[in-house]
């Protein structure tokens, strides 16, 4: 006995359903649309209308056996980013219902909380991410990622935000900030009182 259940979305196409092996933080997906590594998808809780965002980590082929027959089918895995809340993205784990539809997140939108400056957006969405300059002052910030993921670009945007009202000296042992971003070189005559962004390339043994 079967039942057909219509699921509403914000107009985004359904690209997969949640398959066996999913946890409250990592989804095992059975794609039936176009799904690539790095895509952002979501499922929506029917009771709370909260949208849970995930990013696709990879795809694989796996053999499935059912009622004496077997087939090789595509599977994908996706890791949780969080839920879309009025104050931003909140990391909150949840276990979806079996076989619930998963949608492309292109229509998911959000706004930054007051006091935050935009740096970028979550790939494939209209969900911005940003930073509070006031909260950053006097604290540490680590930007982590694989090569080519945009760490230097994000760092440059943060430098722009901080240098609007502060002195920022980037210590660079690679020459990237001078060559790629055309940042002027800092020297003793500039000192530490001239508002703006500068780069200093320390000599000797590299950090």
């Amino acid at each position: 006995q079967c039942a057909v259940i219509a699921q509403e979305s914000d107009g985004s196409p359904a690209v997969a359903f949640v398959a066996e092996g999913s946890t409250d933080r990592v989804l095992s997906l059975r794609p039936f649309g176009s799904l690539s590594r790095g895509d952002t998808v979501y499922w929506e809780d029917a009771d709370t209308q909260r949208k849970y965002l995930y990013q696709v980590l990879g795809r694989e082929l796996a053999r499935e056996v059912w009622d004496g027959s077997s087939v090789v089918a595509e599977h994908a895995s996706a890791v949780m980013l969080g839920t879309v809340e009025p104050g931003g993205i909140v990391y909150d784990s949840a276990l979806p219902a079996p076989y619930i539809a998963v949608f492309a997140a292109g229509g998911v939108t959000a706004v930054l909380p007051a006091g935050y400056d935009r740096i970028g957006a979550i790939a494939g969405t209209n969900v911005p991410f940003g930073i509070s300059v006031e909260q950053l002052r006097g604290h540490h910030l680590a930007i982590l990622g694989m090569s080519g993921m945009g760490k230097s670009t994000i760092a440059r945007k943060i430098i722009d935000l901080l240098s609007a009202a502060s002195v920022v000296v980037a210590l660079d042992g690679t020459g990237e900030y001078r060559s790629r971003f055309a940042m002027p070189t800092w020297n003793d005559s500039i000192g530490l009182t001239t508002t703006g962004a500068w780069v200093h390339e320390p000599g000797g043994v590299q950090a």
Side-chain angles (χ1 to χ4, degrees), residues 25-160:
R25 297 186 179 185
V26 179
L27 296 184
S28 176
L29 301 176
R30 178 74 184 273
F32 47 79
S34 176
L35 205 59
S36 300
R37 184 176 186 269
D39 286 351
T40 305
V41 296
Y42 77 92
W43 64 271
E44 186 170 353
D45 188 302
D47 296 325
T48 64
Q49 280 72 56
R50 298 177 80 186
K51 293 180 178 178
Y52 290 83
L53 288 179
Y54 294 77
Q55 191 167 45
V56 177
L57 294 179
R59 301 179 302 169
E60 66 174 358
L61 294 175
R63 182 171 298 278
E64 294 184 348
V65 179
W66 183 77
D67 196 25
S69 299
S70 68
V71 64
V72 175
E74 182 182 352
H75 287 258
S77 58
V79 65
M80 174 174 279
L81 299 176
T83 61
V84 181
E85 305 291 341
I89 297 295
V90 176
Y91 189 75
D92 181 28
S93 62
L95 185 65
Y99 308 112
I100 193 171
V102 175
F103 300 93
V108 179
T109 61
V111 296
L112 284 174
Y116 281 76
D117 292 291
R118 179 186 170 109
I119 292 178
I122 295 176
T125 74
N126 291 310
V127 179
F129 64 87
I131 195 167
S132 166
V133 173
E134 290 306 314
Q135 290 188 27
L136 182 59
R137 296 183 197 279
H139 293 80
H140 296 89
L141 172 68
I143 304 172
L144 307 175
M146 296 182 293
S147 296
M149 296 295 287
K151 298 183 300 296
S152 297
T153 301
I154 289 177
R156 183 67 174 105
K157 290 186 178 184
I158 293 172
I159 288 171
D160 288 341

Side-chain angles (χ1 to χ4, degrees), residues 170-189:
L171 303 178
D172 181 19
T174 66
E176 181 178 23
Y177 285 82
R178 179 176 40 82
S179 61
R180 180 178 168 194
F181 298 127
M183 285 179 62
T185 303
W186 178 87
N187 57 59
D188 290 336
S189 64

